[in-house]
C-alpha cells in the first residue's frame, strides 16, 4: 500500500538497536575525521608489483601493436649495468656513472651557456644527430672531465670559467675579426647579453646590502601586486591570496628561494623572461622591452634597494657626495665611473636635492616604498636625492648586462 515504505523506515529508525547503531556510526565517523582530516595527503608514484607489458604501435595506432619493448637506455651510449634496477633509481645512477660521456658534457655546456651567453654546443637541448657540433670539442671534453673529477663541484667549475682569460676579454668588437668571425664562435671577444631575472634582482639587493646569504630553508614571498593570484583560476584555497613574507630575512633572500606558482610566476621576474615552470626550458629567451626599464625604475624591490643603497654609500663613504656617488657606481657596475659619468650624476643629485628641499612632502614619498625603515640619523633630503641617483645607477646597462 502507499506509504508502507515510509512507515517501515520510521519503525526501524525508532528501534533501540537501530538508534544505538546510528550513534556508534556517528561516533566512528567523528573519530575517523579527527584522526585523518589533519593529515596532509600527497600523491606518490610507486612501481607496479609486476611490470606492465608495453608495445611500440604502428604509426601510433593503439589498436595495432607491432612488438613489445622493455626499459633500457640508448644503444649508442654505454649499457646499463645488470646490477642496476630498471627503474628511475637505476636510470639516475646510470646517468651519473663515470662511463657515461653525455651527462657531464650536457651539464658543462649549460653552465658555459650561462656564463658566455652561448654554449660550446649551440643546441643545448639536442646533442644528437640533428644538433650542432661543438665549436671547441676538446674544451668540452676537458671541462666535462674536470667536473666529474671534482665530484660534480659546480662552484669550482664556474670559478674556472670566470677566471679564464677568455671570460675576462673586452666585449668591444674589432673590425678585422668581425669580418672573419661575425658570430664570435671562436670567442675572440666577450659576448654581451642581459643577465637572468634572478641575477638582476640579486645584484640590486647585494649592491644595497639587503641581500640575505643564508643557504637552505623554505620558499619565501617577496613583493608582488595585491590580488594577482585571484585573477588566476585555481582549485586551491591556500593559493587564493599572496601574502608577503613576515620577516625581513625572508623578504631579501636570494631569488633562488622565491615561491613560484606555476601558472603565475612573480611579474617582475616574468618581465625579464623568467620561465613559468609549466614546461622545461633549456635556454631562456632574452628580450629588451620598455617594461623592463619600468620594473627597474618603479618596482618596490628595486626602488627600496636604491634607497637603502643611498643610505649605505653615505655611511661607508661620508667624505663627500662625489665619493659617495663613485662608491655607489662601483657597487652597481663593478667599475669606477669616468669623470663625465661622475659629473652627470653629481649634477643630477644637485638638481634633485634642491627639488626635495623646496618640497618636503616629495621627499617623504621616497621613504614609503618597501618595508625597510629609513635611517633617521641621515639627512632626509640628501638621502632622497641620492636615492634617485642610485636608482639611475641600477638602471645603468652595465648593472644588468654582461659586458
Amino acid at each position: 500500500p502507499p506509504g508502507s515504505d515510509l512507515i517501515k523506515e520510521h519503525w526501524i529508525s525508532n528501534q533501540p538497536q537501530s538508534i544505538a547503531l546510528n550513534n556508534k556510526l556517528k561516533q566512528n565517523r567523528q573519530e575517523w575525521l579527527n584522526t585523518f582530516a589533519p593529515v596532509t595527503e600527497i600523491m606518490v608514484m610507486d612501481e607496479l608489483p609486476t611490470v606492465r607489458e608495453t608495445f611500440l604501435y604502428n604509426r601510433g595506432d593503439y589498436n595495432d601493436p607491432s612488438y613489445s619493448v622493455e626499459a633500457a637506455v640508448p644503444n649508442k651510449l654505454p649499457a646499463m649495468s645488470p646490477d642496476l634496477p630498471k627503474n628511475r633509481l637505476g636510470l639516475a645512477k646510470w646517468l651519473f656513472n663515470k662511463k657515461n660521456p653525455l651527462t657531464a658534457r650536457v651539464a658543462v655546456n649549460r653552465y658555459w651557456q650561462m656564463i658566455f651567453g652561448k654554449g660550446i654546443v649551440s643546441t643545448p637541448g639536442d646533442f644528437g644527430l640533428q644538433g650542432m657540433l661543438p665549436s671547441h670539442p676538446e674544451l668540452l671534453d676537458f671541462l666535462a672531465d674536470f667536473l666529474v673529477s671534482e665530484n660534480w663541484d659546480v662552484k669550482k667549475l664556474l670559478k674556472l670559467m670566470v677566471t679564464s682569460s677568455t671570460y675576462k676579454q673586452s666585449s668591444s668588437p674589432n673590425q678585422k675579426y668581425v669580418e672573419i668571425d661575425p658570430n664570435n664562435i671562436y670567442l675572440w671577444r666577450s659576448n654581451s647579453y642581459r643577465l637572468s631575472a634572478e641575477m638582476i634582482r640579486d645584484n640590486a639587493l647585494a649592491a644595497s646590502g639587503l641581500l640575505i646569504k643564508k643557504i637552505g630553508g623554505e620558499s619565501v614571498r617577496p613583493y608582488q601586486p595585491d590580488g594577482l593570484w585571484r585573477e588566476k583560476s585555481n582549485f586551491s584555497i591556500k593559493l587564493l591570496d599572496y601574502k608577503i613574507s613576515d620577516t625581513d630575512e625572508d623578504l631579501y633572500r636570494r631569488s633562488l628561494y622565491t615561491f613560484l606558482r606555476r601558472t603565475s610566476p612573480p611579474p617582475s621576474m616574468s618581465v625579464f623572461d623568467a620561465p613559468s615552470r609549466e614546461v622545461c626550458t633549456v635556454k631562456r629567451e632574452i628580450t629588451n622591452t620598455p617594461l623592463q626599464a619600468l620594473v627597474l625604475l618603479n618596482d618596490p624591490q628595486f626602488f627600496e634597494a636604491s634607497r637603502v643603497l643611498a643610505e649605505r654609500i653615505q655611511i661607508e663613504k661620508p667624505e663627500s657626495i662625489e665619493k659617495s656617488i663613485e662608491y655607489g657606481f662601483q657597487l652597481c657596475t663593478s667599475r669606477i665611473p669616468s669623470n663625465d659619468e661622475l659629473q652627470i650624476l653629481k649634477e643630477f643629485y644637485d638638481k634633485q636635492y634642491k627639488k626635495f628641499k623646496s618640497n618636503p612632502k616629495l621627499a617623504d614619498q621616497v621613504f614609503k616604498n618597501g618595508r625597510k625603515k629609513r635611517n633617521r640619523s641621515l639627512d632626509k633630503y640628501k638621502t632622497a636625492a641620492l636615492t634617485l641617483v642610485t636608482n639611475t645607477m641600477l638602471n645603468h646597462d652595465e648593472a644588468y648586462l654582461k659586458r
Side-chain angles (χ1 to χ4, degrees):
S4 59
D5 290 341
L6 203 61
I7 295 172
K8 182 178 178 181
E9 289 176 8
H10 176 74
W11 182 82
I12 292 173
S13 63
N14 285 278
Q15 292 299 308
Q17 186 178 4
S18 176
I19 293 172
L21 288 173
N22 279 328
N23 291 336
K24 183 64 175 175
L25 178 61
K26 290 179 181 178
Q27 182 182 350
N28 290 341
R29 283 176 174 169
Q30 190 60 44
E31 289 180 0
W32 188 93
L33 287 172
N34 292 339
T35 303
F36 294 102
V39 178
T40 302
E41 297 182 2
I42 59 172
M43 293 187 292
V44 297
M45 298 179 69
D46 193 14
E47 301 290 345
L48 293 172
T50 56
V51 179
R52 183 186 65 187
E53 192 173 11
T54 305
F55 296 93
L56 180 71
Y57 298 97
N58 286 322
R59 304 180 67 83
D61 185 355
Y62 286 94
N63 296 318
D64 188 14
S66 55
Y67 57 87
S68 62
V69 294
E70 297 179 351
V73 296
N75 295 330
K76 295 294 183 181
L77 295 174
M80 182 182 287
S81 171
D83 299 333
L84 295 177
K86 296 295 181 67
N87 55 21
R88 291 185 293 275
L89 175 61
L91 178 62
K93 290 183 176 180
W94 173 81
L95 281 172
F96 289 90
N97 191 300
K98 290 185 177 181
K99 294 182 179 179
N100 188 342
L102 189 59
T103 306
R105 284 173 169 80
V106 172
V108 160
N109 193 64
R110 298 279 182 90
Y111 289 119
W112 185 274
Q113 174 181 279
M114 182 180 73
I115 296 297
F116 289 91
K118 184 168 63 175
I120 299 173
V121 177
S122 59
T123 52
D126 191 347
F127 272 59
L129 293 175
Q130 296 184 349
M132 297 294 290
L133 292 174
S135 57
H136 302 75
E138 293 179 356
L139 174 61
L140 185 64
D141 290 346
F142 167 76
L143 292 173
D145 289 340
F146 177 84
L147 181 61
V148 175
S149 65
E150 294 294 338
N151 196 27
W152 301 85
D153 192 324
V154 174
K155 286 187 177 179
K156 285 187 177 180
L157 175 69
L158 293 177
K159 182 178 180 180
L160 180 67
M161 290 181 183
V162 298
T163 54
S164 66
S165 57
T166 304
Y167 180 80
K168 296 176 184 178
Q169 292 181 111
S170 169
S171 60
S172 300
N174 180 298
Q175 187 60 36
K176 175 184 176 182
Y177 294 126
V178 167
E179 294 176 359
I180 298 173
D181 181 19
N183 295 321
N184 195 32
I185 295 173
Y186 297 107
L187 300 173
W188 52 270
R189 62 174 173 83
S190 178
N191 286 323
S192 296
Y193 55 89
R194 196 200 66 215
L195 300 176
S196 65
E198 295 86 349
M199 289 182 180
I200 294 172
R201 176 180 175 273
D202 291 356
N203 180 58
L205 292 178
S208 66
L210 285 171
L211 186 68
I212 302 297
K213 297 182 180 180
K214 173 185 171 184
I215 296 176
E218 297 182 359
S219 297
V220 296
R221 303 186 182 190
Y223 302 113
Q224 182 173 292
D226 293 334
L228 182 64
W229 281 6
R230 287 186 173 272
E231 299 293 328
K232 302 286 184 177
S233 59
N234 62 78
F235 302 96
S236 173
I237 296 176
K238 291 183 178 180
L239 295 181
L240 279 176
D241 290 313
Y242 182 95
K243 294 183 179 179
I244 296 174
S245 293
D246 295 328
T247 64
D248 289 350
E249 182 179 276
D250 288 343
L251 193 59
Y252 308 120
R253 295 200 66 189
R254 290 183 296 164
S255 302
L256 170 69
Y257 299 105
T258 298
F259 183 91
L260 290 179
R261 185 181 174 190
R262 193 178 303 165
T263 57
S264 182
S268 60
M269 295 176 69
S270 297
V271 169
F272 291 103
D273 305 306
S276 65
R277 305 294 177 90
E278 292 176 276
V279 295
C280 177
T281 303
V282 178
K283 185 178 182 181
R284 294 188 183 186
E285 295 295 327
I286 296 179
T287 61
N288 184 14
T289 67
L291 284 176
Q292 293 174 6
L294 193 67
V295 168
L296 291 173
L297 286 167
N298 299 287
D299 185 90
Q301 192 87 83
F302 287 94
F303 196 81
E304 180 185 35
S306 302
R307 176 171 58 81
V308 178
L309 176 58
E311 295 175 350
R312 177 184 179 183
I313 60 179
Q314 289 181 79
I315 295 170
E316 297 183 14
K317 292 290 180 180
E319 298 92 328
S320 65
I321 286 297
E322 288 80 1
K323 288 293 183 182
S324 296
I325 293 175
E326 184 180 273
Y327 181 52
F329 192 91
Q330 186 177 8
L331 288 172
C332 293
T333 65
S334 300
R335 71 172 176 85
I336 302 294
S338 66
N339 291 333
D340 289 342
E341 290 170 330
L342 185 60
Q343 181 62 30
I344 291 171
L345 292 172
K346 176 62 169 59
E347 290 175 359
F348 181 54
Y349 164 79
D350 292 336
K351 181 179 179 181
Q352 296 304 314
Y353 182 81
K354 290 177 182 177
K355 182 179 74 173
F356 288 128
K357 192 74 173 176
S358 61
N359 193 340
K361 290 185 178 180
L362 277 179
D364 292 334
Q365 294 294 323
V366 172
F367 302 104
K368 291 184 178 180
N369 285 276
R371 184 183 291 172
K372 190 75 172 179
K373 295 182 179 179
R374 76 178 181 93
N375 188 336
R376 293 186 175 274
S377 65
L378 300 173
D379 181 83
K380 178 173 70 172
Y381 307 113
K382 186 176 179 181
T383 301
L386 275 176
T387 296
L388 297 189
V389 174
T390 52
N391 190 233
T392 303
M393 293 175 186
L394 288 175
N395 275 270
H396 194 288
D397 58 359
E398 291 181 31
Y400 59 88
L401 289 176
K402 193 273 175 184
R403 287 292 190 181

